């Protein structure tokens, strides 16, 4: 279990540092900024690379919503979920802390949003609460469908990290203008702690909506595909 939690900590750290780091450090950099397309791919690449690196150790959840969605789908033990979630949140905070140290080394550094998520005035496109809620629920639900489907024993072997990474890229391409894209409470919490103020006040949405969406996605997968032949007990024995 210690190896699994360490893997989840490091993986979530990498996700926040790589994904949010691309937004804070490189998205609008003069002349060579990577823009929203680059940030979207950065988030997808963090998950893709970590899925290959630690997927065989912890399953590479990197996300409390994913962990709970997999519990709902019958693919993960509920008894291990609290430890995973704690490791993910701590990893997100560590990634945000490293990013802050790097970003604040620039003489004209301004905290601004620090890649945090928000709705209303804090939304990149000024989208309201309902739009943000629906967006996060739907995006996370489909994320879980892709995760559950691509990791099924009946799916083509070895391609799950690619499918999951590209799915997260697509999710960002759709939803960055709406909420700055969360679908991950650990990612949202890490940077919001540093952004402070109103971003912390709106953080509740980026816990509730992704978890609701993930549970919906996990249940829908279970209904559509049927009970996965790979039991939780077999997964725990790896």
């Amino acid at each position: 279990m210690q190896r699994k939690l360490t893997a989840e900590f490091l993986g979530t750290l990498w996700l926040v540092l790589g994904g949010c780091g691309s937004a804070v450090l490189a998205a609008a950099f003069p002349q060579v900024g990577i823009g929203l397309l680059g940030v979207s791919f950065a988030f997808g690449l963090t998950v893709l690379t970590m899925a290959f690196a630690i997927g065989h150790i912890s399953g590479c959840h990197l996300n409390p919503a994913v962990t709970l969605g997999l519990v709902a789908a019958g693919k993960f033990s509920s008894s291990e979920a609290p430890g995973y979630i704690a490791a993910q949140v701590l990893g997100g905070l560590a990634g945000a802390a490293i990013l802050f140290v790097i970003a604040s080394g620039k003489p004209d550094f301004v905290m601004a949003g620090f890649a945090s998520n928000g709705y209303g005035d804090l939304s990149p496109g000024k989208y309201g609460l309902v739009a943000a809620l629906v967006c996060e629920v739907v995006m996370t639900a489909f994320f879980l469908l892709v995760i559950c489907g691509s990791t099924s024993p009946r799916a083509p072997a070895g391609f799950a990290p690619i499918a999951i990474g590209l799915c997260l890229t697509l999710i960002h391409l759709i939803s960055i203008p709406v909420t700055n894209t969360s679908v991950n409470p650990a990612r949202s919490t890490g940077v919001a702690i540093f952004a402070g103020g109103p971003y912390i006040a709106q953080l509740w949405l980026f816990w509730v909506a992704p978890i609701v969406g993930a549970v919906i996605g996990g249940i829908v997968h279970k209904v559509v595909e049927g009970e996965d032949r790979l039991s939780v007990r077999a997964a725990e024995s790896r």
Side-chain angles (χ1 to χ4, degrees):
M1 189 62 180
Q2 184 176 355
R3 292 189 301 108
K4 293 180 180 180
L5 297 184
T6 301
E8 287 295 305
F9 173 86
L10 293 173
T12 313
L13 185 160
W14 182 238
L15 183 146
V16 171
L17 182 58
C20 296
S22 71
V24 172
L25 303 174
F29 192 77
Q31 299 179 353
V32 292
I34 62 174
L36 298 186
L37 179 62
V39 173
S40 298
F41 271 103
F43 272 100
L45 289 171
T46 62
V47 172
L48 189 154
T49 53
M50 274 296 133
F52 280 116
I54 67 170
H56 60 287
I57 300 172
S58 69
C60 192
H61 299 186
L62 316 186
N63 182 338
V66 168
T67 296
L68 295 175
L70 292 175
V71 170
K75 290 175 171 284
F76 189 69
S77 170
S78 59
S79 65
E80 293 189 2
Y84 265 55
I85 292 171
Q88 291 154 3
V89 172
L90 291 173
L93 288 169
I98 294 170
L99 176 57
F100 176 77
V101 171
I102 296 170
S104 61
K106 188 178 179 182
D108 59 347
F109 170 71
V110 177
M111 176 62 74
F114 203 56
S116 296
N117 305 111
Y119 57 87
D121 289 340
L122 302 184
S123 159
K126 308 304 178 188
Y127 288 82
L129 172 60
V130 174
L133 178 66
V134 171
C135 183
E136 289 290 327
V137 169
V138 172
M139 294 299 138
T140 316
F142 275 93
F143 192 33
L144 259 291
L145 284 174
V146 172
I147 290 171
C148 291
S150 63
T151 57
S152 169
R154 293 177 291 233
F159 290 97
I162 298 172
I164 295 167
L166 289 176
C167 180
L168 189 60
T169 298
L170 175 59
I171 287 170
H172 279 78
L173 288 172
I174 297 168
S175 60
I176 284 178
V178 183
T179 62
N180 219 18
T181 310
S182 171
V183 303
N184 185 337
R187 166 262 191 270
S188 297
T189 300
V191 289
I193 294 299
F194 285 86
Y199 291 100
I200 294 177
Q202 292 190 0
L203 186 58
W204 66 271
L205 177 70
F206 303 104
W207 276 85
V208 173
I211 289 173
V212 169
V215 170
I216 291 172
I219 293 172
V220 169
H221 166 79
K222 196 172 183 179
V223 171
V224 171
E225 186 171 282
E227 190 70 27
D228 198 314
R229 300 297 185 267
L230 184 62
S231 67
V232 169
R233 182 178 302 174
E236 290 176 340
S237 69
R238 291 200 300 267

